[in-house]
Amino acid sequence: MSADDLLSRESLRRLPPELRPAVDPAELRTRVVHFGLGAFHRAHQAVFTENAAARSGEPWGITAVAPRSASTVRALRDQDCLYSLTERRPDGHRTRVVGSVVGALAMGPDARTVDALLADPEVTVVTLTVTEKGYHRSPSTGGLDTAAGPVAADLAAAADWPLTTVVGRLAAGLAARMRAGAPPINVVSCDNMADNGAALSRVIHDYIRASTWPDRAEILDRLAESVAFPATVVDRIVPATSEADRAVAGAALGVRDALPVTGEPYRQWVLEDSFAAPRPPWELDGALFVPDVAPYQLTKLRLLNGSHSALAYLGAAAGLTTIAETMTADWGERLVRSLCAEVAPTLPADGPDPVAYADDLVVRFRNPAMHHLLRQIGSDGSVKITERWLPGLRELRAHGASTAVLELALAAWAESTRRADAPADPAAEALAACWGTATRPAETVRALLRVLGAADLAGDEALTASVADRLPALRAGRVEI
């Protein structure tokens, strides 16, 4: 493989059919605009869209807009917007090129082109993966934080000044579309947060209301009639790309790929069936359209994310490094299945079957080809476990149900905050201070829970005593379920 032999449409012709995209990129047109050029989009929505185009014969192409990374845009353009996806399977890697992305833009420098696409009648879908931070939501109201520096700067910017927030750029583009009388459009958040469709709708509407546009009232009226913001749940583990991943992709393709992505074999996409305009038939590739995604969101949060966090803290206590390693321990599978069974009564009856869901989790977490670091999963625990564990814990205890597995997980998290090598956390200083002031372990547990904003659980003496009783075994590296 020559260092100069870069993945491109020209080199694509030399690849065997099994390595090529499912559809000829030359046959696609931009009908989807996506904000966010990260690995998750390229391993998830772009794959669903390519397969939907291939199976329907419809030319659903994506132009991806990078909010910040102009270097990624350049690298993607150099490869004719092609890149490879390697699925990390227990029986060996499988690599192929993805061709659904047909254009790449930098949001600031290419602002006029972005606006033109958002107003284009052929474009009927906008998708986003910009992380929760990209929504600039106020922690107190859930609406747009108009006082945040980047948002305030966008609202004060002159008409020809490049906007720096995705919310501002999208709001401006949708306003231009409404003014032009273009057809309806779907705006689909694919970010990992509850009620993502409603959250995105709220910040876009808040931005327009806060703008100085003289026609903002008319724009809001048209938005209500012409723009859908369906909620979604997305799931696929997509690790950060390493040099080893680049080498694997290059060896499989015989050409150099500067932007390969990797992912587990499993992928899921659940979408609220509430669209205002044509969309790719993603269901042809297994996407699920439902009246309400909330049961799927809650199941993912409490079973997948909850198990992930539990494995992270218990695995670290046992001296392990990755999720796959925890599943080789004699307690790994038992922990996942026990936690899912314990939390299952708190889940809606119309969601996924918890037992089948646990079966899938065991297979996914066991995959030895996935090197998912416990330290990465355990970071920001004060934020994560507040959502993943505590609501279910409260509900179960209110009904007098057993919470033994959640207590063990909570003890492992508590123990992690004591160590000098504790995972990164925004509340790290306050958490560490809990260990210096308390004289008894139960008091420490109470103090830690108060840092989480869980004064009610801190006042549950039976809970704090049970969590404290588990600390000595964990400190000795023993996981007892």
Side-chain angles (χ1 to χ4, degrees), residues 291-309:
D292 182 11
V293 305
Y296 297 84
Q297 180 71 47
L298 194 60
T299 299
K300 180 189 174 191
L301 183 69
R302 294 192 179 174
L303 300 193
L304 184 148
N305 299 135
S307 294
H308 238 177
S309 288

Side-chain angles (χ1 to χ4, degrees), residues 35-36 65-68 107 127-128 130 134-136 154 163-172 200 204:
F35 285 89
V65 181
R68 289 172 301 277
M107 192 175 77
T127 53
L128 296 90
V130 295
Y135 292 71
H136 297 284
D154 277 4
L163 303 176
T164 63
T165 67
V166 170
V167 173
R169 181 79 274 146
L170 180 54
L200 177 56
I204 293 295

Side-chain angles (χ1 to χ4, degrees), residues 5 39 123 157 160 182-183 211 232 266 275 296 300 305 368 476-477:
D5 199 4
V123 172
D160 60 346
S211 74
T232 68
Y266 179 94
F275 286 76
Y296 297 84
K300 180 189 174 191
N305 299 135

Side-chain angles (χ1 to χ4, degrees), residues 1-8 11-12 15 19 42 72 75-86 95-98 241-262:
M1 177 177 63
S2 166
D4 296 325
D5 199 4
L6 192 64
L7 179 62
S8 66
S11 62
L12 195 63
L15 299 184
L19 297 181
R42 287 183 281 134
T72 303
L76 199 56
R77 286 174 176 171
D78 288 346
Q79 298 186 171
D80 296 329
C81 295
L82 300 170
Y83 62 91
S84 65
L85 166 66
T86 297
T95 301
R96 76 170 181 87
V97 176
V98 179
T241 302
S242 67
E243 287 304 318
D245 295 328
R246 290 185 175 85
V248 166
L253 299 172
V255 295
R256 184 166 58 89
D257 180 5
L259 290 171
V261 292
T262 68

Side-chain angles (χ1 to χ4, degrees), residues 26 51 56 60 84 93 95 99-100 126 182 262 303 345 348 409 424:
N51 290 333
S56 67
W60 290 100
S84 65
H93 297 320
T95 301
S100 56
V126 176
T262 68
L303 300 193

Side-chain angles (χ1 to χ4, degrees), residues 61-331:
I62 302 168
T63 287
V65 181
R68 289 172 301 277
S69 182
S71 61
T72 303
V73 171
R74 286 193 297 271
L76 199 56
R77 286 174 176 171
D78 288 346
Q79 298 186 171
D80 296 329
C81 295
L82 300 170
Y83 62 91
S84 65
L85 166 66
T86 297
E87 289 189 351
R88 296 183 180 180
R89 296 176 173 267
D91 58 351
H93 297 320
R94 297 186 189 176
T95 301
R96 76 170 181 87
V97 176
V98 179
S100 56
V101 179
V102 296
L105 301 171
M107 192 175 77
D110 298 319
R112 285 185 173 82
T113 306
V114 174
D115 279 355
L117 284 173
L118 292 174
D120 186 343
E122 273 227 313
V123 172
T124 57
V125 178
V126 176
T127 53
L128 296 90
T129 51
V130 295
T131 76
E132 188 167 357
K133 290 184 288 189
Y135 292 71
H136 297 284
R137 298 169 72 198
S138 164
S140 56
T141 69
L144 183 67
D145 184 359
T146 55
V151 177
D154 277 4
L155 287 167
D160 60 346
W161 188 260
L163 303 176
T164 63
T165 67
V166 170
V167 173
R169 181 79 274 146
L170 180 54
L174 290 173
R177 187 181 182 95
M178 299 301 99
R179 292 182 185 116
I185 192 168
N186 311 299
V187 182
V188 186
S189 170
C190 303
D191 283 297
N192 192 19
M193 56 186 183
D195 299 321
N196 53 9
L200 177 56
S201 176
R202 171 87 181 269
V203 295
I204 293 295
H205 283 74
D206 286 352
Y207 187 95
I208 295 171
R209 269 190 289 270
S211 74
T212 57
W213 304 333
D215 60 346
R216 57 188 178 275
E218 292 87 347
I219 291 168
L220 288 169
D221 287 343
R222 291 173 190 166
L223 243 65
E225 298 172 356
S226 301
V227 184
F229 293 90
T232 68
V233 179
V234 297
D235 190 8
R236 186 174 211 177
I237 297 171
V238 181
T241 302
S242 67
E243 287 304 318
D245 295 328
R246 290 185 175 85
V248 166
L253 299 172
V255 295
R256 184 166 58 89
D257 180 5
L259 290 171
V261 292
T262 68
E264 65 171 330
Y266 179 94
R267 55 190 169 93
Q268 182 191 53
W269 198 2
V270 184
L271 303 98
E272 179 187 2
D273 196 4
S274 176
F275 286 76
R279 58 163 178 81
W282 290 309
E283 63 271 27
L284 297 181
D285 194 36
L288 186 62
F289 287 84
V290 298
D292 182 11
V293 305
Y296 297 84
Q297 180 71 47
L298 194 60
T299 299
K300 180 189 174 191
L301 183 69
R302 294 192 179 174
L303 300 193
L304 184 148
N305 299 135
S307 294
H308 238 177
S309 288
L311 289 169
Y313 299 119
L314 288 161
L320 305 175
T321 305
T322 69
I323 288 290
E325 286 176 353
T326 66
M327 298 302 289
T328 64
D330 59 4
W331 50 266

